Amino acid sequence: QSVLTQPPSVSGAPGQRVTISCTGSTSNIGAGYDVHWYQHLPGTAPKLLIYGNRNRPSGVPDRFSGSKSGTSASLAITGLQSEDEADYYCQSYDSSLSGVVFGGGTKLTVL
Amino acid sequence: QVQLQESGPGPVKPSETLSLTCTVSGGSISGYYWSWIRQSPGKGLEWIGYIYDSKTYDGKTTGYNPSLKRRVTISIDTSKSQFSLKVRSMTAADTAVYYCARGTGRGGPNWFDPWGQGSLVTVSS
């Protein structure tokens, strides 16, 4: 059971928009700690997609966007492409656990 | 461009100690939170811990996942641009892909970028 809760899977057709939620609590996201998002294709290195809730590293398309409100955060992907099919993880810090925490991951399927 | 590469033993026997090394190339090793993260089969990512080597003072700081703290040690060799992970008393539950990553932040790692490709460690007799 992960500290940050993500839906196990989401899906969408090419060109559509999908969102992935990340629900935490008052000891992590709700305490003001930043949320970061990673894209992970099996067998490869996870890739930073969003840092500091809504910032994109250089090279990440603006189809990817992040937001945070209260004890939750969301990753939105617009204009879905087949290469977006991957696992997505949110990450933050938890003061009760005194450490970095990850969500359980969400598998995105592009139909 | 900073790149990270894990190197390790592959299979480990139960009760043995795992030793993994991450070699950093293309950038400075000082001023970042060099971290280990693992992913057990079919599960999500789990943060193991970090080591921080300061640019401004002669000291190193470590931080560990409380659930693993008793069995884990992370060290750094700045002369070789490497940092290492030791996990003692390995069990089947420690079978995972182990990733090294560079953490950026203040007072601890905030986000991780880049990551290594990962090293599969299987615990089996």
Side-chain angles (χ1 to χ4, degrees):
Chain A
Q1 188 82 1
S2 299
V3 172
L4 304 178
T5 301
Q6 298 180 233
S9 63
V10 297
S11 62
Q16 284 190 333
R17 177 181 187 269
V18 296
T19 61
I20 299 173
S21 61
C22 175
T23 303
S25 68
T26 53
S27 61
N28 41 68
I29 299 175
Y33 294 106
D34 287 340
V35 178
H36 321 289
W37 292 89
Y38 303 88
Q39 179 189 60
H40 188 206
L41 291 114
T44 69
K47 173 186 174 184
L48 178 67
L49 271 186
I50 299 287
Y51 67 96
N53 306 315
R54 56 177 62 248
N55 303 296
R56 282 187 310 276
S58 174
V60 173
D62 59 6
R63 301 187 297 105
F64 295 89
S65 63
S67 64
K68 172 187 158 184
S69 179
T71 57
S72 296
S74 290
L75 173 71
I77 309 172
T78 58
L80 264 184
Q81 300 179 4
S82 57
E83 57 260 38
D84 297 334
E85 194 162 279
D87 296 323
Y88 292 83
Y89 292 89
C90 61
Q91 176 244 311
S92 187
Y93 178 88
D94 190 283
S95 57
S96 295
L97 298 174
S98 298
V100 172
V101 289
F102 287 91
T106 298
K107 183 175 182 58
L108 169 63
T109 301
V110 181
L111 302 170
Chain B
Q1 183 173 348
V2 175
Q3 292 185 311
L4 284 70
Q5 180 64 57
E6 303 91 347
S7 57
V12 175
K13 289 184 169 53
S15 80
E16 288 187 342
T17 295
L18 167 68
S19 294
L20 287 173
T21 296
C22 183
T23 301
V24 180
S25 59
S28 172
I29 202 166
S30 295
Y32 293 98
Y33 297 88
W34 300 99
S35 303
W36 290 95
I37 296 157
R38 70 181 183 180
Q39 183 175 32
S40 301
K43 295 191 177 180
L45 299 167
E46 179 182 33
W47 172 70
I48 298 171
Y50 71 83
I51 188 163
Y52 176 81
D53 183 64
S54 173
K55 291 180 185 177
T56 56
Y57 68 88
D58 185 21
K60 298 170 179 54
T61 305
T62 54
Y64 299 111
N65 185 325
S67 69
L68 297 168
K69 184 175 184 176
R70 287 182 304 165
R71 297 193 294 128
V72 170
T73 302
I74 298 176
S75 58
I76 193 167
D77 186 338
T78 54
S79 67
K80 295 182 179 178
S81 289
Q82 293 179 332
F83 62 104
S84 300
L85 170 71
K86 289 191 186 300
V87 182
R88 295 174 290 279
S89 304
M90 293 280 282
T91 71
D94 295 310
T95 292
V97 177
Y98 285 74
Y99 296 96
C100 59
R102 185 181 72 174
T104 299
R106 193 178 298 177
N110 209 343
W111 63 86
F112 300 102
D113 179 54
W115 298 53
Q117 291 288 321
S119 178
L120 175 62
V121 175
T122 303
V123 182
S124 173
S125 54

